[in-house]
Amino acid sequence: MKTILTGIRVNSEPTLGNFLGAMLPMVRIANKHSLDHHVNIFIPDLHSIISEVDGDFQKNLINSIKIYLAAGLKINENVHVYRQSYVPAHSEMCWILNCIANMGEMSRMTQFKDKSEGKSSVNVGIFDYPVLMAADILLYSANYVPVGEDQFQHLELTRNLAMRFNHKFGEILTVPEKTEEQVKFMETGEPIRIRDLSNPTKKMSKSAIGENSKILLNDTPEKAAKKIMSATTDSLAKIQYDMFNQPGISNLLQIDALINNQPLQEVIATWQGETHYGDLKKRVATSVSTFLTHFQESISAISDDMVYELFETGEEYANEVANKKLLEVQKAFSLR
Ligand code: TYM
């Protein structure tokens, strides 16, 4: 049985970008394929501590699983939910992969460059982040890894590390599908990168400082609608999908399509020839606020206990699978 695997860091409340770019596509894919695929959804809590976490960390962690459930994730015996730090094999696999990763390829990782830019001191965890991510994926022989476009470079690194390892030791690791195949599998039409509402040339990020840059899933529907209404657009007075010249307008079209589960091309066709940006903003603001109203109600109906039960069975499964693969890797390195 093939494996679909993804993770989301929980340093703070997820943004609409996390949700539309990764969580919602994952839920749709999981529900479609979980009868004949393993579906692993895990919390990369070790990835979280590359930056400081606050007292709400455990609450956010539980909440993020509730988000998947509220988004409609159906649970069956093939769906596995677990926390990374409860499966120690991840850390060990990361160390072993460190020994085949090159400084050159690691230094080219754009997320590392972005996160370290202008800082006088940067922790090693930020640099090593993609190798731990590769360990997360390779331990479970994952074929499909639904993530947003910003993570594609890490996925490529994972493929390269797996191929390098196999070249040296034989076919032990499963190389995940190429990014083009991942995008096809996600059925989102194109790679997703939801933009910062105030500065749409950048991705919507948890760490953005501007209040109107991002929508958080716990924003009140009214607050979220206001943020959409104040989104930066352009002066071309033409509604069309052109991420390069009109990233603000294109971002709004994409948000509307994803949130209403409508093909992007259909949404673009609806607005063809329209010129009033205010109308588009009103439509998207309504879509987002209606969605948040229902979504927040669903979240509050899910108990913490339900999430802990999922962790209990998920972590038992994850340790079994990960330890088995780790042993093969340790043997290849003559560690066992
Ligand atoms: P994180 O928490 O930074 O992002 C979680 C997911 O959200 C996607 N994402 C976006 N998608 C579209 N538009 C945006 N503006 C946007 N912002 C974030 C990210 O692409 C990601 O899919 N490194 C991973 C966590 C991780 C992981 C893994 C994922 C650790 N190990 C193994 C898959 C497999 C990350 O970026 O988390």
Side-chain angles (χ1 to χ4, degrees):
M1 216 154 61
K2 289 193 170 181
T3 297
I4 310 167
L5 175 148
T6 202
I8 178 163
R9 280 181 306 141
V10 292
N11 296 53
S12 61
E13 183 71 14
T15 65
L16 195 63
N18 293 134
F19 184 75
L20 296 179
M23 299 174 96
L24 192 57
M26 180 62 178
V27 169
R28 288 180 183 149
I29 290 170
N31 288 348
K32 183 167 173 189
H33 297 285
S34 67
L35 289 181
D36 55 1
H37 286 67
H38 285 291
V39 173
N40 292 17
I41 295 183
F42 78 103
I43 304 291
D45 50 357
L46 294 171
H47 277 110
S48 287
I49 59 169
I50 57 162
S51 49
E52 222 165 282
V53 296
D54 61 20
D56 284 336
F57 186 59
Q58 290 298 326
K59 197 175 123 237
N60 289 336
L61 200 147
I62 299 294
N63 191 47
S64 67
I65 300 300
K66 290 185 182 178
I67 290 172
Y68 283 108
L69 296 173
L73 177 71
K74 293 196 193 106
I75 301 293
N76 65 28
E77 76 273 12
N78 295 333
V79 178
H80 315 289
V81 176
Y82 53 94
R83 292 162 287 189
Q84 185 186 39
S85 75
Y86 283 70
V87 188
H90 289 239
S91 308
E92 172 123 12
M93 181 73 166
C94 173
W95 179 260
I96 294 175
L97 292 175
N98 276 336
C99 299
I100 60 165
N102 300 320
M103 289 298 286
E105 65 190 343
M106 295 298 293
S107 310
R108 286 194 293 275
M109 295 291 122
T110 51
Q111 182 170 299
F112 169 69
K113 288 192 211 158
D114 290 349
K115 286 197 188 294
S116 55
E117 200 183 342
K119 293 201 178 129
S120 56
S121 164
V122 178
N123 70 54
V124 177
I126 296 182
F127 184 71
D128 206 26
Y129 181 110
V131 180
L132 180 57
M133 181 161 163
D136 300 336
I137 296 168
L138 298 176
L139 278 176
Y140 300 90
S141 309
N143 310 88
Y144 296 105
V145 186
V147 284
E149 195 194 17
D150 60 315
Q151 296 299 308
F152 284 4
Q153 200 186 21
H154 296 164
L155 216 51
E156 276 308 316
L157 175 80
T158 304
R159 284 174 45 83
N160 289 337
L161 292 178
M163 287 189 279
R164 196 174 305 155
F165 182 97
N166 287 349
H167 184 69
K168 204 166 170 197
F169 298 110
E171 298 297 307
I172 292 176
L173 300 177
T174 300
V175 182
E177 296 290 338
K178 290 198 177 96
T179 45
E180 303 90 81
E181 294 305 316
Q182 304 277 354
V183 172
K184 268 192 222 154
F185 189 72
M186 279 174 80
E187 297 179 8
T188 49
E190 61 174 272
I192 304 174
R193 177 182 292 246
I194 301 299
R195 309 297 176 119
D196 181 304
L197 295 174
S198 307
N199 182 358
T201 55
K202 298 202 312 201
K203 75 162 186 173
M204 184 183 283
S205 162
K206 286 175 207 163
S207 50
I209 299 159
E211 167 75 354
N212 287 335
S213 291
K214 59 189 175 206
I215 290 179
L216 300 178
L217 292 182
N218 63 355
D219 275 348
T220 62
E222 299 74 33
K223 191 171 174 187
K226 273 196 194 130
K227 290 180 182 179
I228 296 284
M229 293 309 291
S230 71
T232 300
T233 51
D234 55 64
S235 53
L236 297 178
K238 195 171 178 191
I239 300 181
Q240 59 179 3
Y241 191 81
D242 177 351
M243 260 312 171
F244 190 71
N245 294 307
Q246 294 185 264
I249 288 296
S250 307
N251 195 33
L252 294 177
L253 291 169
Q254 190 165 51
I255 291 175
D256 205 53
L258 288 166
I259 223 161
N260 293 310
N261 197 16
Q262 208 183 345
L264 178 60
Q265 290 311 324
E266 219 173 277
V267 175
I268 295 169
T270 313
W271 291 92
Q272 184 85 31
E274 298 287 338
T275 55
H276 294 293
Y277 289 178
D279 293 345
L280 175 64
K281 283 184 172 179
K282 266 189 221 148
R283 153 81 194 181
V284 182
T286 307
S287 294
V288 171
S289 58
T290 308
F291 158 75
L292 284 179
T293 306
H294 296 307
F295 192 70
Q296 290 167 0
E297 276 167 20
S298 307
I299 295 249
S300 53
I302 301 167
S303 71
D304 289 4
D305 284 351
M306 186 169 171
V307 177
Y308 283 119
E309 270 170 38
L310 289 176
F311 282 152
E312 205 176 309
T313 45
E315 282 155 13
E316 198 180 319
Y317 166 85
N319 273 296
E320 201 181 308
V321 175
N323 286 338
K324 214 165 142 200
K325 184 54 75 183
L326 178 63
L327 183 61
E328 285 182 69
V329 170
Q330 287 168 324
K331 282 182 178 164
F333 270 95
S334 301
L335 290 165
R336 293 289 183 275

